[in-house]
Amino acid sequence: MQRIGVLISGRGSNLQALIDAQQRGELGGGRIAVVFSNVESAPGLERARRAGIAVAFRDHRGLPREVFDGEVAEVLKAHGVELVCLAGYMRLVSPVLLRAFPGRILNVHPALLPAFPGVKAQRQALEHGVKLSGATVHLVDENLDAGPIVAQEAVPVLSSDTEDSLAARILEAEHRIYPRAVRALLEGRLSIAGRRVLVEGE
Ligand code: GRF
């Protein structure tokens, strides 16, 4: 049973997708051991409590990034975490956290990376006028939204789309691919060749 730590800052719908997958037995034997937030009022913390999962909060404000990430690593290690899932975690991860979990941090992003990294990816896609956007799960490295790509799902951009309607459609894709990617990693089905992540069975 591998222990997962999920890092959030807000709503936590991707966290919920991971919880649901775990409850269906679709998380490759993984179990969410702790949900950590840097925002005390994050609604996702309530989702974790409802599912009986331990929660932790630390305020990042006023702390140097490395010091804060040292605290995050400590919390995660105290819960025996081996895999870290960023799920709407609005913080850049520093080398301190990367070194604590080498090759074991995943993130989900609401665009087909490398297009539209950073915040408001759905608005960026609309403003650029792309006809397809989507969702990406990738391994986290020291650069923003830039690590090796594990899974992607394309989502059409419709003429009638607003930022909200596109975000909602992309979110459904996020909820499908994130648990699958976590499962593949936990089942040892990922191998990395340069930037290419090969997923056995896919
Ligand atoms: C998602 O769109 C995720 O890709 C992005 O932030 C949003 C978080 O949503 N990083 P939620 O908190 O998982 O509902």
Side-chain angles (χ1 to χ4, degrees):
M1 183 69 77
Q2 298 192 62
R3 297 166 74 89
I4 303 167
V6 183
L7 272 47
I8 64 167
S9 300
R11 177 178 57 184
S13 72
N14 278 289
L15 163 66
Q16 190 67 55
L18 294 171
I19 293 172
D20 293 347
Q22 175 182 318
Q23 288 173 350
R24 290 195 303 267
E26 291 174 4
L27 222 46
R31 182 165 73 77
I32 303 170
V34 62
V35 173
F36 173 92
S37 177
N38 66 315
V39 177
E40 197 168 16
S41 60
L45 289 175
E46 196 40 48
R47 297 180 191 264
R49 287 192 198 98
R50 268 206 306 272
I53 300 168
V55 299
F57 155 74
R58 294 283 185 284
D59 196 344
H60 62 276
R61 286 173 296 185
L63 290 181
R65 194 173 295 282
E66 285 70 20
V67 174
F68 179 71
D69 274 2
E71 290 187 12
V72 178
E74 221 170 85
V75 170
L76 296 172
K77 296 280 182 191
H79 285 271
V81 166
E82 292 152 288
L83 172 67
V84 181
C85 294
L86 310 186
Y89 184 59
M90 302 304 284
R91 306 266 313 154
L92 262 177
V93 167
S94 76
V96 171
L97 198 53
L98 289 169
R99 275 198 302 268
F101 297 95
R104 304 287 292 181
I105 307 182
L106 288 172
N107 182 40
V108 63
H109 182 76
L112 290 178
L113 292 171
F116 314 129
V119 294
K120 301 209 182 299
Q122 304 92 337
R123 181 188 295 180
Q124 293 184 55
L126 277 179
E127 285 177 353
H128 197 90
V130 292
K131 303 298 184 195
L132 274 180
S133 191
T136 302
V137 175
H138 64 94
L139 286 160
V140 174
D141 65 13
E142 59 285 354
N143 299 308
L144 178 66
D145 299 329
I149 291 168
V150 178
Q152 289 188 307
E153 184 176 323
V155 170
V157 180
L158 309 179
S159 311
S160 56
D161 265 332
T162 61
E163 201 179 325
D164 284 350
S165 65
L166 179 59
R169 199 170 325 108
I170 291 175
L171 204 57
E172 290 175 18
E174 294 182 42
H175 297 167
R176 277 190 291 272
I177 65 173
Y178 208 3
R180 278 212 298 270
V182 169
R183 179 178 192 164
L185 191 150
L186 290 180
E187 289 179 347
R189 288 189 283 114
L190 300 191
S191 54
I192 304 177
R195 279 203 52 89
R196 263 186 106 188
V197 180
L198 307 176
V199 185
E200 208 185 294
E202 278 181 20

